[in-house]
Amino acid sequence: MKAQLCGLLVAAALLSPQAGLAQGDSQLYDSMQRTGPQTMEGTQAVEVEAEVISVNKKTRELVLKNEDGEKVTVKAPPEVRNFNQISKGDMLKIRYVESLAVEIKKKGTADNMTNTSSEIVRSKEGQKPGGMVVGTVSAIGTIMKVDKPKNAVTVKGPQRTVTFHVQDKSVLDQLKKGDQIEVKYTEALAVSIDSVKR
């Protein structure tokens, strides 16, 4: 989903090593909390700022300085609306939020399935470049095995079977072969450029 951000401004990964949390980072899963007898949820957010050091209107290149003082040059693609509104000294702000909700359904009868959706919002004509990308993936899978000694659960989804570890051991006591798990994963990435008052 984050690749779609080129249509907004730049990839967040260029500004901070913390970006790209959905790509193998375990912090979201470590944050999972029980929210009901059969549900768990986890959320984490990262905010990054970078100062615009220089703007090349002809090549559409920006030199940005992040919070650690590191500089990076990025090129805004043609899809970035209102590029000429960006000025030296402006602040680029990125907020990335991801959430995961899991619901256990005892002996569910729904078909294993996956649904994806995304929404892109861009700034209006004449405003500073910016926007937001929101992507959601919903999936239903069937539990094939519960391995309590290894704190692991094997789930068969619509396309593949995966095994994952569960932090909260008490959750395993509620899981049985044949139960279904419904998962909803959401990413939201917002980018904005604010003018600095001079």
Side-chain angles (χ1 to χ4, degrees):
M1 180 190 77
K2 274 179 256 183
Q4 296 174 12
L5 253 198
C6 68
L8 296 175
L9 186 57
V10 294
L14 293 173
L15 301 178
S16 169
Q18 297 181 66
L21 294 173
Q23 301 173 5
D25 193 296
S26 65
Q27 294 177 4
L28 174 63
Y29 308 101
D30 291 343
S31 74
M32 296 291 286
Q33 300 290 327
R34 188 184 300 274
T35 55
Q38 307 295 326
T39 59
M40 295 181 70
E41 292 183 12
T43 302
Q44 72 170 346
V46 173
E47 293 185 359
V48 179
E49 288 190 0
E51 181 182 357
V52 178
I53 301 301
S54 67
V55 183
N56 187 321
K57 306 287 185 181
K58 291 182 179 180
T59 64
R60 296 178 64 86
E61 290 181 332
L62 300 172
V63 177
L64 305 170
K65 182 171 70 173
N66 67 14
E67 296 167 327
D68 295 327
E70 298 172 349
K71 293 181 182 179
V72 61
T73 301
V74 295
K75 185 170 183 176
E79 294 86 357
V80 175
R81 188 181 287 167
N82 306 324
F83 179 82
N84 289 335
Q85 300 288 334
I86 303 174
S87 302
K88 178 181 177 181
D90 287 348
M91 293 299 297
L92 171 69
K93 296 183 179 180
I94 295 174
R95 178 172 172 80
Y96 174 72
V97 179
E98 64 176 345
S99 65
L100 181 67
V102 178
E103 181 178 358
I104 302 165
K105 298 190 173 185
K106 296 294 183 181
K107 297 296 180 183
T109 58
D111 292 334
N112 292 346
M113 54 165 294
T114 301
N115 287 322
T116 60
S117 64
S118 62
E119 181 180 0
I120 301 175
V121 179
R122 293 193 302 166
S123 58
K124 296 179 181 179
E125 293 287 347
Q127 296 180 341
K128 289 283 187 180
M132 182 170 62
V133 176
V134 179
T136 302
V137 178
S138 299
I140 295 177
T142 302
I143 295 177
M144 304 305 292
K145 181 181 179 182
V146 179
D147 190 338
K148 291 185 179 181
K150 294 183 179 179
N151 292 343
V153 178
T154 301
V155 178
K156 181 179 181 181
Q159 298 174 338
R160 60 187 177 131
T161 299
V162 296
T163 299
F164 59 94
H165 291 86
V166 177
Q167 290 282 94
D168 186 348
K169 295 182 180 180
S170 67
V171 172
L172 294 174
D173 295 332
Q174 300 181 36
L175 303 180
K176 290 182 175 57
K177 182 178 179 179
D179 289 347
Q180 284 191 323
I181 294 181
E182 184 171 353
V183 178
K184 183 176 181 181
Y185 176 78
T186 302
E187 284 183 305
L189 187 61
V191 177
S192 64
I193 289 188
D194 296 337
S195 296
V196 175
K197 294 181 180 179
R198 295 177 173 84

